[in-house]
Amino acid sequence: MSNETLLDRLRSELGADAVVTDVDVMATYSRDQMPLAPAGTPLAVVLPEDVDGVRATVRACAAARVPVVPRGAGSGLSGGANAVDGCVVLVTTKLDEIVEIDPDNRLAVVQPGVVNQDLRDAVAKHGLFYPPDPSSYDWCTIGGNLATNAGGLCCVKYGVTSDFVLGLEVVLADGSLLRTGRRTVKGVAGYDLTKLFVGSEGTLGVITEATLALRPLPQAPATLVAAFPSAPAAGVAVSRIVREGLVPSLMEIMDTATVDAVSNYLRTDLGTERGTLLLCQSDTGGERASAELSAVERICSEAGAEMTYHTDDLAEGDLLMRARRVTLLALESMGSCMTDDVCVPRTRIADLITGCERIAEEVGLTVAVVGHAGDGNMHPTVVYDASSEGEFERAKRAFDAILELGLSLGGTVTGEHGVGKFKQEWLAREIGPVGLDVHRRIKRALDPQNLFNPGSMFSL
Amino acid sequence: MSNETLLDRLRSELGADAVVTDVDVMATYSRDQMPLAPAGTPLAVVLPEDVDGVRATVRACAAARVPVVPRGAGSGLSGGANAVDGCVVLVTTKLDEIVEIDPDNRLAVVQPGVVNQDLRDAVAKHGLFYPPDPSSYDWCTIGGNLATNAGGLCCVKYGVTSDFVLGLEVVLADGSLLRTGRRTVKGVAGYDLTKLFVGSEGTLGVITEATLALRPLPQAPATLVAAFPSAPAAGVAVSRIVREGLVPSLMEIMDTATVDAVSNYLRTDLGTERGTLLLCQSDTGGERASAELSAVERICSEAGAEMTYHTDDLAEGDLLMRARRVTLLALESMGSCMTDDVCVPRTRIADLITGCERIAEEVGLTVAVVGHAGDGNMHPTVVYDASSEGEFERAKRAFDAILELGLSLGGTVTGEHGVGKFKQEWLAREIGPVGLDVHRRIKRALDPQNLFNPGSMFSL
């Protein structure tokens, strides 16, 4: 089938408006938020409005042997949704219906184009809560969250996206429709195909519906901040908080470089000059939250915190959290940023931070570490001058050295952003030849033509 | 390779003691605890002592084209570990080392032959807790728990086995060694192979090591019992408990037939004559547990409970729990038992119980429903006279009607026991032709020779 024939078929099956070939419009659908990943030029961008449109698109592309790159809102940070040359970008944002909210079974059935925040708002009206909260929650879609197994600040207490997926509807490479999982909270009938598709980054199929577990709406958060003289002291506190079984609803760490950047940006004193900040929240409400944060406070003090403070006042808590929220803005005000995503065992967080200090010194650039201390998922960010090729090279060297460091600490090369079109070689290093071979076997079994997102995550 | 050559090779590589061909001894390794599932006669039973022994066994069997049936302690309830004719039963009980306990990262690394209770006891010494608690916890092995994704009473609060698996080491069909997952609590590098192998019932590989997440040891449980005049009233209470976000550490339901059987067996009054019992525990300790159970008690009363009682006295709680614990003994004192395993949405528990009453009437046999109300996983048990062929047929008809009912209520044909060599047709019905085709593709991709547990779960 020629490209023109394919486009004609798509237009006739989905309607002309659903098939975009305008170069400028296509460009806005060809990249996600990771500037370092390669992106190609698509043949077309297709925006089906329902599952039949998705199936028609997949069948037409399979017949024409044109690759399909599934895409949500494009908020990804791995190039996973980036176009490859000559592909059809299949955008799921128009499948944006919340099909059902079942409060008594605490679940929702949604289409992939539903924006994370819209789901959160809709279920909140029933006193329910959808925890996964990637930082792009106000514009990313559930489909992208599922494809990347998105995390967020909630993970320390609530887990990641896959922990909330009961079942999926997926369009496979031959256009057939697979239903995985179920509406019950337990079930062991067959392989766990649901979890195989979650996090598969659009390489195995196109998710067209998901059944998601919900939780009761938590209480408004109480917030604690603790300032430590050093990363190791903060690391000791984190280990002990985990060890004692305290489960804050948020536990973020900011290293000295981050604290400096944010202090300058906000022109304010964050309670420490050359120290490390730990921010914790409890969403259990009232006396219980107060007791939880008091226990955290005690541990922080015993671990050497110079300053601790906690409040159940929402506005004040928000002010304390502001330091964390503006981190990327503060760093971007200093130059271009390469944000890494490594996850290490929680006892190695301090080693990662001190390792990043060493790397920063070696390359002569700022490396600011901010991260989800509760689960060891750290986002060291290298700041560099994009107009200097030398700085870019050094930044890239630091970025890679951080991944190397993460692996050497028993960690993973991606805690929540994914592999996409950017970390394929790192995935291969982390999982080894047998692991890679198993990935390829599964990919070939489900997508023998290599239709979906070819070259992403790994090459066949 | 002839069978004799294979046996010689196994003896030479693993030692003669590791290769059992005595017919009587082999018989003890040829069945699990599900009497209704078929079992064949193995060529040999092999008990390797380490991962190299497992790899040598798999390689030798692959070369001889002799099927391998992996097996733990044999406590399964689906025939999943039952021998097929001419196979090698690969028993993992001698790989029984707890390799590591890492309290600060709250994880343990174990071999598959470790008994569930031994792991629980070992981590308890560090103040830690491994929640999955199938009823055979004092003799089942972690390997079997992983293969079947075992559940238990803990699930309502803590989830199932797969929720505690961070990573695996697996011997594949070609004898190569796959490592999945990681030691970190988060990570999205590649497909979730860990969750693919958990619950795959020995059809994809032999698990030789697992990295398991642990939790802090909970407090001693406080216990509540509530007696309702009818299953629907108890069902309303369960829905409301879930709806309000209360998370007891245990929530079990016993229907009228169960209450009758247990009352007669224990020769005691369980607080209700023709009613439904709900048993709940809280393991949060002290005032919090008391507050939780008081909230549950209020909901039960509002839903029409005739009697509620709760206690934080351990011995008294144990006495209350005794009714639940002796259920199977009580039913077995009345005849042979066929125990089903369906999981329905929590709002449909009462419908399942009343449906079972109807089925019992139709076949003229006792059907007693006991189950994990907190997650909708019900175990209706049909009591029959095994010496009567007519009763067996009727019991089997009731058993199947219950599965049918479970599916019609939006449930699954197995909540925690698995498919094994017993529910293959039911699996096919539940997941449909596309789902089955995907299972077959994955199986062929990873085990092209159909070496592992052929015919279990589904046929190629």
Side-chain angles (χ1 to χ4, degrees), chain A residues 3-320:
Chain A
N3 285 345
E4 271 317 308
T5 317
L6 171 61
L7 293 176
D8 286 345
R9 175 168 164 180
L10 290 170
R11 284 191 195 103
S12 108
E13 294 195 17
L14 288 100
D17 288 354
V19 183
V20 175
T21 52
D22 178 277
V23 175
D24 293 331
V25 179
M26 286 205 300
T28 66
Y29 286 104
S30 299
R31 280 205 157 281
D32 67 13
Q33 297 292 303
M34 164 45 83
L36 300 179
T41 304
L43 168 69
V45 173
V46 175
L47 296 104
E49 293 192 349
D50 54 24
V51 62
D52 288 336
V54 174
R55 298 180 75 178
T57 305
V58 168
R59 284 191 173 129
C61 290
R65 300 195 161 262
V66 164
V68 174
V69 176
R71 177 187 179 90
S75 61
L77 290 165
S78 71
N82 284 8
V84 297
D85 283 336
C87 77
V88 162
V89 176
L90 194 167
V91 185
T92 58
T93 50
K94 293 205 166 175
L95 286 88
D96 61 354
E97 198 190 335
I98 297 175
V99 180
E100 180 190 352
I101 297 172
D102 176 349
D104 285 332
N105 285 305
R106 288 216 318 248
L107 61 83
V109 180
V110 304
Q111 291 190 319
V114 172
V115 170
N116 183 297
Q117 167 125 48
D118 292 343
L119 175 60
R120 299 166 83 81
D121 292 346
V123 302
K125 288 180 190 149
H126 299 269
L128 293 170
F129 176 43
Y130 177 68
D133 59 347
S135 57
S136 55
Y137 66 90
D138 53 351
W139 67 288
C140 65
T141 60
I142 297 295
N145 296 173
L146 293 163
T148 58
N149 192 11
L153 304 183
C154 77
C155 304
V156 51
K157 178 162 183 175
Y158 296 105
V160 293
T161 297
S162 80
D163 295 314
F164 294 88
V165 190
L166 298 172
L168 296 174
E169 179 190 84
V170 185
V171 174
L172 299 176
D174 61 1
S176 62
L177 202 61
L178 171 70
R179 286 194 166 274
T180 74
R182 49 196 66 84
R183 286 172 73 97
T184 58
V185 289
K186 260 170 93 178
V188 293
Y191 300 156
D192 191 344
L193 299 180
T194 304
K195 299 248 173 11
L196 179 62
F197 281 94
V198 173
S200 64
E201 301 187 3
T203 63
L204 297 178
V206 184
I207 295 168
T208 50
E209 195 177 275
T211 304
L212 304 171
L214 305 171
R215 300 195 46 133
L217 208 54
Q219 303 295 308
T223 307
L224 170 143
V225 60
F228 295 86
S230 69
V236 166
V238 169
S239 290
R240 286 221 21 227
I241 290 165
V242 170
R243 183 75 179 77
E244 293 201 11
L246 293 160
V247 188
S249 57
L250 171 152
M251 180 153 66
E252 299 284 304
I253 194 167
M254 299 164 65
D255 77 342
T256 302
T258 308
V259 169
D260 283 353
V262 171
S263 300
N264 287 334
Y265 182 77
L266 295 178
R267 294 167 203 278
T268 184
D269 173 14
L270 293 178
T272 180
E273 286 253 329
R274 301 282 318 151
T276 301
L277 276 192
L278 197 63
L279 282 158
C280 289
Q281 290 191 324
S282 167
D283 64 1
T284 49
E287 281 174 26
R288 230 179 105 192
S290 184
E292 275 182 6
L293 291 189
S294 295
V296 170
E297 192 163 33
R298 172 184 50 77
I299 291 171
C300 288
S301 296
E302 286 169 12
E306 295 163 328
M307 181 280 287
T308 63
Y309 178 74
H310 73 100
T311 176
D312 58 5
D313 183 90
L314 258 189
E316 200 181 10
D318 226 45
L319 211 63
L320 296 176

Side-chain angles (χ1 to χ4, degrees), chain A residues 102-106 126-128 148-152 155 160 162-163 172 174 176-179 181-193 195-201 203-204 215-216 239-247 288 292 341 343-348 372 374-377 379 410-419 427 430-431 434-448 457-458, chain B residues 102-106 126-128 148-152 155 160 162-163 172 174 176-179 181-193 195-201 203-204 215-216 239-247 288 292 341 343-348 372 374-377 379 410-419 427 430-431 434-448 457-458:
Chain A
D102 176 349
D104 285 332
N105 285 305
R106 288 216 318 248
H126 299 269
L128 293 170
T148 58
N149 192 11
C155 304
V160 293
S162 80
D163 295 314
L172 299 176
D174 61 1
S176 62
L177 202 61
L178 171 70
R179 286 194 166 274
R182 49 196 66 84
R183 286 172 73 97
T184 58
V185 289
K186 260 170 93 178
V188 293
Y191 300 156
D192 191 344
L193 299 180
K195 299 248 173 11
L196 179 62
F197 281 94
V198 173
S200 64
E201 301 187 3
T203 63
L204 297 178
R215 300 195 46 133
S239 290
R240 286 221 21 227
I241 290 165
V242 170
R243 183 75 179 77
E244 293 201 11
L246 293 160
V247 188
R288 230 179 105 192
E292 275 182 6
D341 168 47
C343 190
V344 295
R346 287 171 289 209
T347 51
R348 310 309 294 273
H372 315 310
D375 48 44
N377 191 183
H379 296 303
T412 173
V413 297
T414 173
E416 59 184 3
H417 294 172
V419 176
L427 173 71
E430 180 172 328
I431 66 177
V434 177
L436 197 59
D437 180 54
V438 169
H439 276 73
R440 287 179 173 141
R441 284 167 182 256
I442 291 171
K443 167 77 170 167
R444 278 193 211 106
L446 296 185
D447 179 15
M457 200 185 270
F458 56 90
Chain B
D102 177 348
D104 285 332
N105 286 306
R106 290 217 315 252
H126 299 269
L128 294 170
T148 57
N149 192 12
C155 303
V160 293
S162 80
D163 295 315
L172 299 176
D174 62 359
S176 62
L177 201 61
L178 171 70
R179 286 194 166 274
R182 48 196 70 83
R183 287 170 72 96
T184 58
V185 287
K186 259 169 95 177
V188 292
Y191 300 154
D192 192 344
L193 299 181
K195 300 252 176 7
L196 179 62
F197 281 94
V198 173
S200 64
E201 301 186 4
T203 63
L204 297 178
R215 301 195 45 136
S239 290
R240 286 221 23 223
I241 290 165
V242 170
R243 184 74 181 77
E244 292 199 11
L246 293 160
V247 189
R288 231 180 105 192
E292 275 182 5
D341 168 47
C343 190
V344 295
R346 286 170 289 209
T347 50
R348 310 308 295 272
H372 315 310
D375 47 45
N377 191 181
H379 296 303
T412 172
V413 297
T414 173
E416 59 186 2
H417 294 172
V419 176
L427 174 72
E430 179 171 329
I431 66 176
V434 177
L436 197 60
D437 179 57
V438 169
H439 276 74
R440 288 181 172 139
R441 284 167 183 256
I442 290 171
K443 168 77 171 166
R444 279 193 210 106
L446 297 184
D447 181 14
M457 200 186 268
F458 56 91

Side-chain angles (χ1 to χ4, degrees), chain B residues 28-32 69-74 81-83 89-93 141:
Chain B
T28 67
Y29 287 104
S30 298
R31 279 206 158 278
D32 67 13
V69 176
R71 178 187 177 90
N82 284 9
V89 176
L90 195 167
V91 185
T92 58
T93 50
T141 60

